[in-house]
Amino acid sequence: MTDIQVSISDYAVARAGTRLVTVGLGSCVAIALHAPAHRAGGLAHIMLPHAALSNDRSSPGKFAGTAVPHMVEQLRALGVTGRLEARLVGGASMFEQLLPPGGVPLGSRNVVAARAACADAGIAVVAEDTGGGHGRSVYFDVEAGCVLVRSVLHGDRTL
Amino acid sequence: MEAITSLKSIQLDALRETANIGAGHAATALSQMTGSTIMINVPAINVVRMEAIPSQFGDEEEPVAAVMMHMLGDLSGRTLLVFPKPAVMRLAELMLRRPLGSSTALGELETSAIKEAGNILSGAYMNALSDFLGMLLLPSPPSLVIDMSRAVLSSAYAQFASDPDCILCVESEFMLTDRAQSLRGFFLLLPDPASLQVMLRALRLA
């Protein structure tokens, strides 16, 4: 099995025999899309909830709202048809005590935006490991559709 | 944003010198606190998009300990002290005057010692800056996070930056050499873009 590294603000799609990997999710969210019938999938490492928060919109993988449609389009281009399912990982809130009182942490906003982006694309979110205060890494086997979540503080977990 | 990306070399040099004064005072404080020799590198100034921030650690999943504080007063921004996890245990031992290698777990006392180290270092750094620039700078209480390096750093930048497209990061590297060991750590100063102008004005280089 070959590994494809997905860096921050980026996304990738792949067929069976590939593992999509993204490491060091803090407030960022990984959106893993899986097409069970075609044993293919895509993984995005989004950093911000909305494109309106940034002037630099050159990378669609940076925002939840643009990453999902781009991944779906590329999966369709690979010949993937039919139902997709989504798994969300990340969106932690680190240094929480330094946030302004009453402020919504970026991680939570990213998770909400990722759910909304999946809903807009008609994709069901089947599993999540989001929130909390710890960092995570994602190892997504696109063939089986299983997502291994690693963290320093809470060990491994499979979604 | 242009203010940050169009910095002239004389302005960068002045910022580097300012950071060097801050880091020098912080290193002296750390040296007195631990009774070891501390070396510092010439500060590096990175002006980059958030996703292009260079990692100080080879392995993005390497556990690190980071102490972050807000900088308030005439300048606003954040300071971040980052040590690889093994180094942070040794730092806690030095702070608590324990024999080297005797501590294995990061308990409440060790955590508190590390936060205090962050407090003293940032305090010394900000004091030097406020003397040099003639400004009032106040630190917030410290917050400690121990987690994988990429997650800690990207959260520290993304969560608090006012402009995610352009980050100004002033990085000083510390080397702590003791009888049998050497520890490496980083001190990062992350001023808000508006404060950068205030700093440059104080340096008469705006």
Side-chain angles (χ1 to χ4, degrees):
Chain A
M1 190 150 56
T2 46
D3 279 2
I4 296 179
Q5 293 285 339
V6 178
S7 52
I8 185 165
S9 295
D10 204 358
Y11 70 95
V13 297
R15 286 179 184 284
T18 315
R19 195 164 67 154
L20 296 168
V21 178
T22 195
V23 297
L25 295 156
S27 57
C28 299
V29 171
I31 306 173
L33 297 185
H34 182 232
H38 292 262
R39 299 187 304 162
L43 182 69
H45 182 147
I46 63 127
M47 191 169 81
L48 296 171
H50 301 292
L53 292 170
S54 169
N55 292 315
D56 173 26
R57 292 169 199 175
S58 55
S59 31
K62 194 166 173 174
F63 316 102
T66 49
V68 173
H70 273 81
M71 272 198 292
V72 171
E73 195 178 298
Q74 293 225 341
L75 284 169
R76 299 296 179 224
L78 276 182
V80 170
T81 51
R83 190 176 62 87
L84 294 172
E85 53 191 37
R87 289 172 178 82
L88 307 180
V89 181
S93 175
M94 290 173 157
F95 303 107
E96 199 162 17
Q97 66 211 83
L98 293 182
L99 285 171
V104 181
L106 181 66
S108 313
R109 280 155 58 206
N110 277 335
V111 173
V112 169
R115 282 183 201 139
C118 291
D120 286 348
I123 302 168
V125 177
V126 293
E128 267 190 33
D129 180 10
T130 55
H134 59 287
R136 299 167 173 95
S137 289
V138 167
Y139 299 82
F140 175 34
D141 176 355
V142 296
E143 182 164 6
C146 69
V147 173
L148 171 68
V149 183
R150 283 214 162 126
S151 78
V152 172
L153 302 180
H154 298 279
D156 293 0
R157 196 181 154 191
T158 306
L159 295 181
Chain B
M1 175 172 169
E2 303 97 85
I4 293 184
T5 49
S6 61
L7 282 172
K8 299 188 203 79
S9 67
I10 185 170
Q11 294 174 317
L12 287 172
D13 279 346
L15 286 176
R16 210 171 280 131
E17 182 53 28
T18 310
N20 211 7
I21 292 170
H25 280 73
T28 307
L30 185 61
S31 174
Q32 285 171 352
M33 202 158 58
T34 58
S36 344
T37 311
I38 313 278
M39 315 272 272
I40 52 171
N41 274 6
V42 177
I45 299 187
N46 294 313
V47 179
V48 283
R49 284 185 304 138
M50 204 180 287
E51 51 266 50
I53 284 172
S55 177
Q56 291 85 1
F57 303 93
D59 179 4
E60 300 192 321
E61 288 185 292
E62 181 181 346
V64 298
V67 183
M68 183 153 83
M69 292 160 77
H70 280 299
M71 176 168 71
L72 311 159
D74 292 339
L75 294 178
S76 67
R78 287 148 308 281
T79 64
L80 196 64
L81 178 69
V82 192
F83 284 100
K85 199 174 170 209
V88 95
M89 292 298 292
R90 301 292 88 82
L91 179 67
E93 284 167 354
L94 286 168
M95 294 277 299
L96 298 167
R97 310 271 175 215
R98 287 183 186 158
L100 290 179
S102 61
S103 313
T104 46
L106 275 176
E108 203 170 323
L109 190 59
E110 291 79 6
T111 311
S112 169
I114 295 156
K115 277 195 201 172
E116 193 50 33
N119 220 347
I120 294 168
L121 273 156
S122 293
Y125 194 104
M126 284 186 213
N127 256 333
L129 246 58
S130 60
D131 281 351
F132 182 61
L133 299 170
M135 289 175 176
L136 176 71
L137 298 181
L138 301 166
S140 76
S143 169
L144 171 70
V145 165
I146 297 170
D147 216 316
M148 40 183 105
S149 64
R150 173 53 80 184
V152 169
L153 292 170
S154 68
S155 299
Y157 295 122
Q159 177 82 69
F160 299 95
S162 52
D163 180 0
D165 299 325
C166 197
I167 305 282
L168 175 85
C169 172
V170 185
E171 173 194 316
S172 306
E173 187 179 355
F174 289 90
M175 291 283 290
L176 186 150
T177 38
D178 203 356
R179 290 172 298 272
Q181 56 175 353
S182 94
L183 309 182
R184 202 169 68 115
F186 295 91
F187 188 89
L188 309 178
L189 176 70
L190 307 162
D192 288 334
S195 294
L196 180 66
Q197 283 309 306
V198 177
M199 272 169 89
L200 290 172
R201 230 173 285 138
L203 294 162
R204 299 188 176 69
L205 285 171

